[in-house]
Amino acid sequence: MLRTLLGEPPRKNEGLLGETIDAMAGTAKLLRKEMEISKDPTHDFRKLEIWVLGLITSLDELEQCLFASVFFRGKVSNVSVDDMDPAERGDYARHVFFYKDGFIRVFATLDKLGTVLNELFDLETSKVKEHFSYFTVLRQFNYKKTHSDLARELEKIKDQYKDTLRVLRGRRNMEIHYMNSELKDDLWQRHQALQGKIKLEDLDEYLRDLEQGLRMVTETLRAVFTYTNQRWKKLSRK
């Protein structure tokens, strides 16, 4: 959608992203097959199908946020807002908007996945914590000693991206929980610069963090739904 609005050609779902979307679509297909067989009297399969399709949308939206943020960053050439004309300031503001939306979506998508995992594998995480995150669900695998192969793979992915997650989590928390954080940051920069110009943050470094966040989410989703599909097919052959 955003590519069309920005005059860019539609995205081709290939590579890691394509594999991940295919795996999730495969799970949705298996759920629909189960609905046809059992008639799904409790609507459990239908609920899971809706959640999985929602995750496909969430991944798509996260990728689009990164794309749009990169797109508008490319229109910013000055290193200080003071040197920008109104058009460039607008592009910078749009870059920041999509960047922030992106890092919030990283954790929102993981938490939605946590809900799906909890239901799909009967992890009963709500008995441990009523409002749980993806990372709480991940610990629940080990607590219940179930689906160890999947749990190990998910822990490996989490550890691989732990530095990126720490950085993005800090920014997410500042954005969500501290109303005046940007104002304080602006005032601090003004104090540091005295009468000088305020330099922008390292936009490219920030985008690399978001790109890594998207990759972590994508690898995690691929691992979950590849495992789910393989397990489902094995069970159906018994």
Side-chain angles (χ1 to χ4, degrees), residues 91-108:
D91 287 326
Y92 172 65
R94 285 182 277 275
H95 155 73
V96 171
F97 174 87
F98 285 111
Y99 172 73
K100 288 181 178 180
D101 200 24
F103 66 63
I104 289 171
R105 286 180 185 276
V106 165
F107 296 97

Side-chain angles (χ1 to χ4, degrees), residues 10-161:
R11 182 187 68 217
K12 293 182 179 179
N13 293 333
E14 52 192 9
L16 174 62
L17 183 68
E19 292 171 10
T20 304
I21 291 174
D22 286 347
M24 289 191 283
T27 300
K29 184 178 179 180
L30 290 170
L31 288 165
R32 286 192 291 273
K33 184 177 179 181
E34 288 296 330
M35 281 187 267
E36 291 172 5
I37 295 171
S38 69
K39 306 306 178 186
D40 195 24
T42 60
H43 305 295
D44 289 337
F45 291 124
R46 176 59 176 155
K47 178 176 68 177
L48 279 168
E49 183 205 17
I50 291 170
W51 285 354
V52 172
L53 294 175
L55 277 173
I56 294 175
T57 299
S58 294
L59 178 60
D60 173 56
E61 291 170 346
L62 172 54
E63 190 280 335
Q64 289 188 69
C65 282
L66 174 61
F67 175 84
S69 188
V70 170
F71 180 89
F72 287 112
R73 188 269 173 271
K75 295 177 176 293
V76 176
S77 57
N78 284 294
V79 297
S80 170
V81 175
D82 296 312
D83 293 329
M84 296 179 185
D85 61 23
E88 188 176 3
R89 288 189 185 194
D91 287 326
Y92 172 65
R94 285 182 277 275
H95 155 73
V96 171
F97 174 87
F98 285 111
Y99 172 73
K100 288 181 178 180
D101 200 24
F103 66 63
I104 289 171
R105 286 180 185 276
V106 165
F107 296 97
T109 305
L110 287 173
D111 288 344
K112 289 176 185 178
L113 174 61
T115 299
V116 174
L117 285 170
N118 185 62
E119 185 84 8
L120 202 54
F121 298 119
D122 282 329
L123 295 174
E124 300 179 317
T125 313
S126 57
K127 291 182 179 180
V128 178
K129 190 175 182 182
E130 185 179 359
H131 302 292
F132 51 83
S133 71
Y134 165 75
F135 301 99
T136 309
V137 174
L138 205 51
R139 290 192 292 272
Q140 191 71 352
F141 275 111
N142 294 326
Y143 175 76
K144 296 204 74 170
K145 294 180 173 58
T146 186
H147 302 286
S148 300
D149 289 346
L150 175 61
R152 279 194 295 270
E153 187 168 2
L154 296 181
E155 284 284 353
K156 181 180 178 181
I157 295 170
K158 184 196 75 171
D159 290 344
Q160 182 182 349
Y161 292 95

Side-chain angles (χ1 to χ4, degrees), residues 100 174 178-190:
K100 288 181 178 180
M174 288 288 286
Y178 298 100
M179 291 178 61
N180 296 320
S181 61
E182 290 182 350
L183 174 61
K184 290 177 181 177
D185 186 55
D186 287 346
L187 289 172
W188 173 248
Q189 288 194 55
R190 287 287 182 192

Side-chain angles (χ1 to χ4, degrees), residues 206-222:
Y206 276 37
L207 283 173
R208 283 192 292 271
D209 291 334
L210 183 56
E211 184 179 13
Q212 287 294 295
L214 168 62
R215 188 167 185 86
M216 182 272 174
V217 170
T218 310
E219 289 183 13
T220 299
L221 289 167
R222 181 180 63 176

